[in-house]
Amino acid sequence: MTGINRWLSGTAIASALAVTAGSAGAVELEVMHWWTSGSEAGAVQEFANAFNDRTDNTWVDGAIAGGGDVARPVMVSRILGGDPPGAFQFNHGRQAEELIEAGLMLDLTDVAEEQGWADVINPPSLLDACTYEGRIYCAPVNIHSWQWMWLNDATFEEAGVEVPTNWESFTETAPALREAGIVPLAVGGQPWQQNGAFGVMALALAGEEAWLAVNQDKDAEVARGEDYARAFQAFGEAREMADGVSVQDWNQATNAVIQGEAAAQIMGDWAQGEFAMADMVAGEDYECLPGLGDIAILDAGGDAFYFPQQSDPEVEAAQKELAALLLDPEVQVAFNSVKGSLPVRGDVDLGSVNECTQKGLQLLADGNVVPSGTALLSPDTTNSLNDLMTEFWNTPSMTPEDVQEQYAQIIEQAD
Amino acid sequence: MAVAEDAGSTGHRAAASSGAKRPSRLLRNPMSKIALVPMIAIALVVFLGGTVWTIVYSFTDSGLLPRLDWAGLEQYDRLWSTRKWIVSIQNLALYGFASMIGTLVIGFTLAALLDRKIRFEGVFRSIFLYPFALSFIVTGLVWQWILNPQFGVQGIVRGWGWESFSFDPLNNPNIVMWGLLIAGLWQGTGLVMCIMLAGLRGIDEDIWKASRVDGIPVWKTYIRVIIPMMRPVFVTALVLIASGIVKLYDLVVAQTGGGPGISSEVPAKYVMSAMFGSQNLGQGFAASSMMLLSVVIILIPWAYLEFGGKKRG
């Protein structure tokens, strides 16, 4: 498989070179990322086109297939090995912390000041995630949020109940759904999905204050407390509601909802692309509940580009040009409308968007936003929580009280 | 291993040509020694150097990048208090034990059957060996589909009318390791069968004639005469199987991804996810040092018995 990937990316690079060989490219900038699915690849092409057309430089595409967990080690080994790419994609937050600490990343503060990033980036927490000791090291490009529940209207009709509007009414419909032979909740088997779903429930059911105390301040007492106990109880109920769908990937779970096998899924806004592909209309065929309909707050995570420190001043100039370009209003619209994510600038208009995206934009504009889990927790802590939540999910004998105590212990040790 | 055997055979030669003046052992065959230098250097730097480096850094709190901030035994403390690591060890022990026995028994049985001068032996041999040509990733995916409850064995048997039939190991935390074991055996037995077959072919025809003359039943000849004679072949097979067990990783990644939950995690996967998923090199190094330690604990007494004994004889 790697052989084929290498060959594919090799030909991608070769063809990119062939196309642009004639132009007076000042610098060929290699950009590494893991956007390889249809809409992702189309979106990143928007960046490449803008970079090739509007500057003298050339975009050399370095796509790595297999997702972030495969791509990140490759990127890091390139940087440490002394052959850094011109730019690379990371989820912003704490994944690149150590690379910045080691002085391997280019300081973008002057670009940010010149372009006025501090004024246009909304929510500001995105820029905070790029800031390390007062200096800015990355350019955020999009917003993705976990805090959504997706419901298939037809399944509730079949079960003869109203489409629920929050988590409590959803749990009440569960027995009716079961009776109609529909699994109430679809959750994929991968650990990050179970931990992610719990994160959504914690924010929606335990409230913003408790969520921030646990995730931001690492307050284990709050994680042991009353508010979180509610979230763990609900997560235990969710475990029972999800019994009957055994799929792995998130999009298979989404598909179970689309097909009517399951009624609902807790998943980030990237799931909406699947509903769109199945020609379903938001508000008619499917519903979306931000924050499970209880507390409508979004967590703003997403992708960002980092620029490794280079010795050649020409390359550095090209890197800064690219950084500025990524946040250009036009480029933001072009990229995000293909990718299906929200732009990081509060001052651009995506044009006609559906009801769910509208809700999301409104919440962003109102400032109902918290930083994302990846920005607050180190990958180490996130991984430990993934392991714990998936163990709970697959061990029926494990009670919500057990898992709460172990969760609090991980938070206690978190750095 | 090679060194020990080499020493043994030189001993024989030396004994045969005793009396003749012989040059110092270091200077004998200088060209071959010079030719070996690069290999020795690589072995020292890559294997020994890498091992020492890993062990040293397992006592630090290295994150995404290695750094020499001493953390004492903290990584090991954390390792042994992590449930995922304990589960990994238990899984590997179960898988290792079952796969060792399963591969040897099935491999030898198949080889013995093929050795009874049957028709189309070549065809059968190819069929049994074929899975070995596939990578573990492919094997894992194939068996993931075969064991899939909707499309695989369970679905087919239910389609025949046995509605209550249930065989869904990959979604049951209690038996998921057996699902992995089936795939592992399917892939691994072919090679062991071939090694065993080569061993059986190396047995002198006269042994069989003698046992027939003495009226010893065939099965008894196998167990009492042939298997003891095939000791070196079994040792080779054992080493191959054991090394495959310790590095068990890709099969799990392809077939179950460590799930359901953490019920099919293995140590190698723990190392990978600590190093690259958690960006915690120190923890990954601690886990891989423990893996090395366990291999060494098993290997040293065995090597001592196997090769230490030969010199005496």
Side-chain angles (χ1 to χ4, degrees):
Chain A
M1 222 162 93
T2 25
I4 291 174
N5 287 339
R6 206 168 292 152
W7 179 79
L8 279 178
S9 56
T11 45
I13 292 168
S15 57
L17 284 175
V19 170
T20 50
S23 74
V27 174
E28 286 178 353
L29 205 62
E30 187 185 358
V31 185
M32 296 177 87
H33 56 87
W34 60 81
W35 284 325
T36 48
S37 87
S39 64
E40 289 171 344
V44 85
Q45 193 58 43
E46 295 291 337
F47 281 152
N49 291 343
F51 190 61
N52 290 337
D53 296 347
R54 290 166 55 169
T55 71
D56 296 334
N57 309 305
T58 312
W59 173 289
V60 179
D61 202 70
I64 302 171
D69 288 342
V70 177
R72 275 190 292 269
V74 178
M75 294 169 180
V76 171
S77 70
R78 278 278 302 270
I79 295 164
L80 296 183
D83 179 27
F88 63 96
Q89 169 209 3
F90 254 37
N91 297 110
H92 47 220
R94 302 190 53 184
Q95 288 171 349
E97 215 172 56
E98 282 194 45
L99 293 173
I100 298 171
E101 239 172 80
L104 293 165
M105 293 296 116
L106 180 67
D107 186 347
L108 299 173
T109 314
D110 52 338
V111 182
E113 274 167 9
E114 195 190 322
Q115 302 280 326
W117 284 3
D119 304 321
V120 292
I121 291 180
N122 183 52
S125 65
L126 288 181
L127 197 58
D128 294 344
C130 281
T131 311
Y132 182 79
E133 288 180 348
R135 315 294 291 175
I136 291 166
Y137 289 93
C138 69
V141 295
N142 62 358
I143 303 171
H144 275 305
S145 173
W146 250 105
Q147 313 290 321
W148 296 88
M149 177 149 83
W150 309 92
L151 310 148
N152 183 344
D153 286 1
T155 55
F156 293 97
E157 220 166 274
E158 203 182 317
V161 286
E162 287 274 301
V163 179
T165 53
N166 61 22
W167 177 256
E168 288 73 26
S169 56
F170 173 66
T171 50
E172 281 161 24
T173 61
L177 288 165
R178 277 278 182 216
E179 214 149 287
I182 299 162
V183 179
L185 193 67
V187 177
Q190 291 159 348
W192 66 271
Q193 297 181 48
Q194 289 133 22
N195 188 29
F198 175 73
V200 174
M201 297 172 78
L203 183 53
L205 302 173
E208 185 183 357
E209 208 179 307
W211 190 87
L212 280 175
V214 170
N215 289 282
Q216 197 161 39
D217 310 330
K218 320 283 186 294
D219 188 339
E221 284 319 303
V222 178
R224 286 197 179 91
E226 195 83 340
D227 292 328
Y228 254 66
R230 252 201 325 275
F232 280 107
Q233 287 298 342
F235 193 57
E237 288 166 26
R239 177 171 69 177
E240 278 157 38
M241 284 193 260
D243 191 30
V245 173
S246 49
V247 293
Q248 285 296 315
D249 294 322
W250 66 268
N251 53 332
Q252 291 172 328
T254 311
N255 197 43
V257 176
I258 291 172
Q259 301 295 332
E261 268 174 66
Q265 184 189 19
I266 298 174
M267 184 47 61
D269 50 15
W270 47 90
Q272 187 166 205
E274 301 291 310
F275 286 98
M277 252 189 342
D279 286 330
M280 291 173 81
V281 180
E284 289 175 27
D285 303 318
Y286 71 97
E287 303 292 332
C288 51
L289 298 177
L292 303 182
D294 284 288
I295 300 175
I297 298 173
L298 298 184
D299 70 331
D303 303 290
F305 276 92
Y306 287 79
F307 300 84
Q309 191 78 257
Q310 304 260 13
S311 51
D312 187 346
E314 268 184 47
V315 176
E316 193 177 310
Q319 288 176 316
K320 287 185 172 171
E321 270 181 272
L322 177 59
L325 193 73
L326 293 176
L327 275 108
D328 181 89
E330 269 177 55
V331 177
Q332 274 285 306
V333 172
F335 171 79
N336 283 300
S337 36
V338 180
K339 179 91 163 49
S341 47
L342 299 175
V344 293
R345 296 178 70 114
D347 58 350
V348 298
D349 188 9
L350 267 186
S352 58
V353 292
N354 72 25
E355 201 189 293
C356 290
T357 314
Q358 202 68 51
K359 278 189 201 170
L361 283 171
Q362 191 59 43
L363 286 168
L364 284 184
D366 295 346
N368 288 331
V369 179
V370 292
S372 76
T374 49
L376 299 175
L377 301 172
S378 71
D380 195 13
T381 310
T382 309
N383 232 15
S384 303
L385 292 178
N386 281 351
D387 292 339
L388 173 66
M389 296 324 269
T390 194
E391 192 191 349
F392 171 73
W393 194 259
N394 290 288
T395 317
S397 59
M398 205 166 161
T399 65
E401 289 75 31
D402 296 339
V403 73
Q404 184 172 12
E405 178 51 35
Q406 292 184 36
Y407 196 97
Q409 281 170 9
I410 293 175
I411 292 297
E412 217 155 45
Q413 289 160 5
D415 46 353
Chain B
M1 253 187 282
V3 179
E5 259 164 59
D6 192 27
S9 57
T10 0
H12 279 292
R13 244 180 287 139
S17 63
S18 64
K21 187 189 170 230
R22 51 185 182 141
S24 127
R25 230 172 132 186
L26 260 180
L27 291 176
R28 211 182 308 153
N29 281 339
M31 287 329 258
S32 65
K33 296 250 157 78
I34 290 170
L36 272 178
V37 165
M39 200 207 78
I40 293 170
I42 289 173
L44 280 181
V45 173
V46 176
F47 294 115
L48 201 62
T51 308
V52 170
W53 192 89
T54 304
I55 294 174
V56 167
Y57 275 88
S58 73
F59 294 105
T60 68
D61 65 352
S62 301
L64 175 64
L65 309 174
R67 57 170 176 231
L68 277 171
D69 281 346
W70 299 110
L73 288 171
E74 206 177 275
Q75 300 287 7
Y76 291 91
D77 263 353
R78 182 173 155 193
L79 183 68
W80 287 103
S81 60
T82 306
R83 251 194 70 71
K84 186 164 134 185
W85 174 252
I86 310 287
V87 171
S88 303
I89 298 274
Q90 288 166 346
N91 281 343
L92 192 70
L94 174 72
Y95 179 90
F97 187 69
S99 131
M100 184 90 77
I101 294 184
T103 319
L104 281 180
V105 169
I106 299 174
F108 183 79
T109 312
L110 286 177
L113 292 177
L114 281 186
D115 196 40
R116 303 309 294 170
K117 302 194 175 62
I118 56 163
R119 229 182 272 178
F120 307 124
E121 186 204 312
V123 176
F124 283 115
R125 209 174 41 207
S126 306
I127 291 174
F128 292 138
L129 190 59
Y130 185 71
F132 189 70
L134 300 177
S135 81
F136 258 136
I137 295 286
V138 177
T139 307
L141 287 175
V142 165
W143 280 92
Q144 191 189 47
W145 281 106
I146 295 178
L147 298 177
N148 182 303
Q150 267 117 50
F151 308 107
V153 177
Q154 179 179 313
I156 292 170
V157 175
R158 284 192 182 178
W160 289 340
W162 185 358
E163 289 289 340
S164 63
F165 178 78
S166 169
F167 183 64
D168 187 11
L170 296 190
N171 289 311
N172 181 344
N174 299 324
I175 54 170
V176 63
M177 286 315 290
W178 301 106
L180 284 172
L181 188 69
I182 294 173
L185 286 180
W186 180 75
Q187 198 199 33
T189 41
L191 179 74
V192 172
M193 177 203 75
C194 275
I195 296 171
M196 297 284 179
L197 194 57
L200 286 172
R201 292 284 147 84
I203 301 284
D204 200 326
E205 218 22 61
D206 293 339
I207 305 264
W208 281 109
K209 284 180 190 154
S211 81
R212 224 167 292 147
V213 169
D214 287 344
I216 305 169
V218 173
W219 64 269
K220 216 169 189 176
T221 316
Y222 270 121
I223 290 175
R224 287 290 173 79
V225 182
I226 305 294
I227 291 183
M229 285 181 76
M230 279 172 63
R231 186 185 151 89
V233 177
F234 271 91
V235 170
T236 310
L238 214 63
V239 170
L240 281 175
I241 301 169
S243 71
I245 290 167
V246 175
K247 60 187 187 192
L248 176 67
Y249 168 73
D250 27 12
L251 182 67
V252 180
V253 169
Q255 209 181 341
T256 67
I262 54 170
S263 50
S264 63
E265 290 285 344
V266 286
K269 188 162 176 295
Y270 184 94
V271 172
M272 287 298 281
S273 92
M275 279 166 54
F276 300 118
S278 306
Q279 301 186 350
N280 190 341
L281 288 179
Q283 183 67 22
F285 291 156
S288 46
S289 300
M290 289 315 299
M291 283 174 73
L292 179 71
L293 184 69
S294 59
V295 171
V296 168
I297 286 175
I298 296 173
L299 214 60
I300 284 186
W302 173 76
Y304 184 78
L305 283 179
E306 191 65 19
F307 301 113
K310 230 178 223 171
K311 261 184 211 155
R312 284 198 306 270

